[in-house]
């Protein structure tokens, strides 16, 4: 049987928010079995400061995923950390932050994965449960299409198309396992176009953005002097974002997520559509020696 996991010890990091530009301190802590992923805004003390990582808690999807609780306390840009937790296999954790937005770090999930690997994981005496997709569930909006297909393991397939010579059409397919995620996906950074920067600033976004935490593109190519980490880093980052958004389902999804030109809005719409159609999925217990070798048993 595969068991739920949490961190073996607390781990701390700090940085600036990609959009707010505010400095924030983040502490990831172990949590009891069944807790799920819970954010705590330690800078807020006059109302409920706990925000559960759930798809129905999503309140913003513009250039990042924001979640909030019923008292209006929100946490922005959760997707890179959520992807790290999903990719490594953390089921239960408390994430304490003292600001409104998670630190962007280097624009990828790799720093969070490194922090988790630093302290390691421990297993609870509780089985890991997952959402098994039973039939196709698709959503479509504004030329974007995404959805879930039945499969016996978590898989993500995305494709993108940008009218820029450095990007063009790219596709990425990967099985969600700790090794594949850490080696092939986690290091892919967020990206943006230099021509859009002034408009983003005017909209109150990207105030913390720089070439230290994003791949920047001008009219001819990549501006960052170090270049790309992968030839197809752009689509790999979109796949990373998708994994983070999908983990807001509250459990791993055993199925193939397929998305064309995905963004946070359609990722969240697809998860909500799946969860709302109770005939399209069932909860199962994950069995097997490791998450690389999954057999399913309904319970």
């Amino acid at each position: 049987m595969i068991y739920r996991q949490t961190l073996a010890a607390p781990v701390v990091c700090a940085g600036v928010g990609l959009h707010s530009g505010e400095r924030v301190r983040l502490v990831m802590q172990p949590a009891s079995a069944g807790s799920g992923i819970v954010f705590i805004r330690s800078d807020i003390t006059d109302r409920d400061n706990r925000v559960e990582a759930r798809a129905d808690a999503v309140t913003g999807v513009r250039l990042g995923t924001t979640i909030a609780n019923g008292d209006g306390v929100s946490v922005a840009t959760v997707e890179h950390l959520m992807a790290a937790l999903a990719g490594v296999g953390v089921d239960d954790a408390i994430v304490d932050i003292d600001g409104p937005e998670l630190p962007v770090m280097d624009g990828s999930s790799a720093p969070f994965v490194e922090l988790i690997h630093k302290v390691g994981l421990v297993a609870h005496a509780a089985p890991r449960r997952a959402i098994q997709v039973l039939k196709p569930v698709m959503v479509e909006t504004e030329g974007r299409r995404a959805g879930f297909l039945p499969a016996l393991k978590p898989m993500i397939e995305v494709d993108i198309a940008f009218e820029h010579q450095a990007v063009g059409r790219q596709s990425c397919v990967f099985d969600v396992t700790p090794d594949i995620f850490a080696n092939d996906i986690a290091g892919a950074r967020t990206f943006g176009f230099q021509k859009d920067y002034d408009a983003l600033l005017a909209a109150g976004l990207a105030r913390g953005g720089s070439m230290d935490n994003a791949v920047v593109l001008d009219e001819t190519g990549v501006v960052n002097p170090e270049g790309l980490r992968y030839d197809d880093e752009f689509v790999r980052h979109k796949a990373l974002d998708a994994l983070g958004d999908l983990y807001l389902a509250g459990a791993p999804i055993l199925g193939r997520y397929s998305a064309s030109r995905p963004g946070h809005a359609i990722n969240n719409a697809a998860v909500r559509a799946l969860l709302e159609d109770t005939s399209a999925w069932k909860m199962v217990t994950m069995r097997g020696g490791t998450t690389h070798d999954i057999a399913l048993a309904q319970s």
Side-chain angles (χ1 to χ4, degrees):
M1 183 176 291
I2 297 173
Y3 294 94
R4 296 181 70 90
Q5 297 185 115
T6 190
L7 288 90
V11 65
V12 182
C13 67
V16 299
L18 175 62
H19 297 300
S20 67
E22 296 185 19
R23 188 160 183 83
V24 62
R25 181 175 183 266
L26 180 153
V27 183
M28 281 190 284
Q29 303 182 58
S32 59
S35 298
I37 310 301
V38 179
F39 292 87
I40 297 179
R41 285 281 304 275
S42 59
D43 58 318
I44 294 178
T45 58
D46 62 342
R47 53 202 155 122
D48 182 12
N49 63 359
R50 294 171 58 89
V51 183
E52 295 182 8
R54 302 194 322 265
D56 61 0
V58 172
T59 57
V61 289
R62 185 179 181 189
L63 300 180
T65 297
T66 298
I67 56 176
N69 65 17
D71 283 348
V73 175
S74 64
V75 181
T77 320
V78 301
E79 61 273 9
H80 298 170
L81 176 59
M82 291 300 297
L85 297 171
V88 173
V90 177
D91 300 285
D92 304 300
I94 294 171
V95 183
D96 185 301
I97 62 169
D98 62 0
E101 183 181 17
L102 268 66
V104 66
M105 309 304 283
D106 72 347
S108 77
S109 291
F112 297 125
V113 171
E114 292 169 7
L115 287 169
I116 296 168
H117 284 167
K118 181 179 179 180
V119 296
L121 301 177
V122 294
H124 289 304
R128 193 177 204 207
R129 303 273 284 166
I131 298 164
Q132 183 182 4
V133 178
L134 302 176
K135 68 179 186 181
V137 174
M138 305 299 295
V139 295
E140 190 168 355
T141 178
E142 297 180 353
R144 302 172 189 263
R145 191 169 187 268
F148 297 92
L149 299 170
L152 294 181
K153 56 186 176 181
M155 302 174 64
I156 290 182
E157 174 185 27
V158 301
D159 64 74
I160 61 173
F162 285 88
E163 293 183 359
H164 191 290
Q165 61 185 7
V167 186
R169 292 184 176 275
Q170 298 182 1
S171 61
C172 174
V173 182
F174 76 100
D175 294 347
V176 182
T177 71
D179 287 344
I180 291 175
F181 179 76
N183 294 329
D184 300 335
I185 304 297
R189 297 162 293 175
T190 191
F191 61 94
F193 298 92
Q194 200 169 57
K195 65 181 178 61
D196 299 330
Y197 185 61
D198 289 341
L200 291 174
L201 287 178
L205 299 169
R207 292 176 177 174
S210 72
M211 283 188 286
D212 292 330
N213 53 45
V215 176
V216 179
L217 293 153
D218 65 11
E219 291 79 3
T220 59
V222 174
V223 178
N224 304 57
E226 76 278 10
L228 296 174
R229 294 177 176 176
Y230 315 94
D231 290 341
D232 57 351
E233 185 168 0
F234 308 103
V235 74
R236 292 190 196 211
H237 186 78
K238 287 293 188 179
L240 182 159
D241 278 347
L243 178 60
D245 289 338
L246 266 53
Y247 207 40
L248 292 172
I253 298 175
L254 300 181
R256 185 184 188 100
Y257 181 64
S258 180
S260 178
R261 300 174 59 227
H264 300 294
I266 200 163
N267 292 339
N268 183 247
V271 172
R272 291 190 186 219
L274 174 67
L275 297 179
E276 288 169 3
D277 185 353
T278 55
S279 70
W281 58 276
K282 66 179 179 180
M283 293 299 297
V284 297
T285 298
M286 300 176 71
R287 298 184 181 276
T290 69
T291 52
H292 297 268
D293 178 26
I294 297 172
L296 304 176
Q298 184 176 3
S299 63

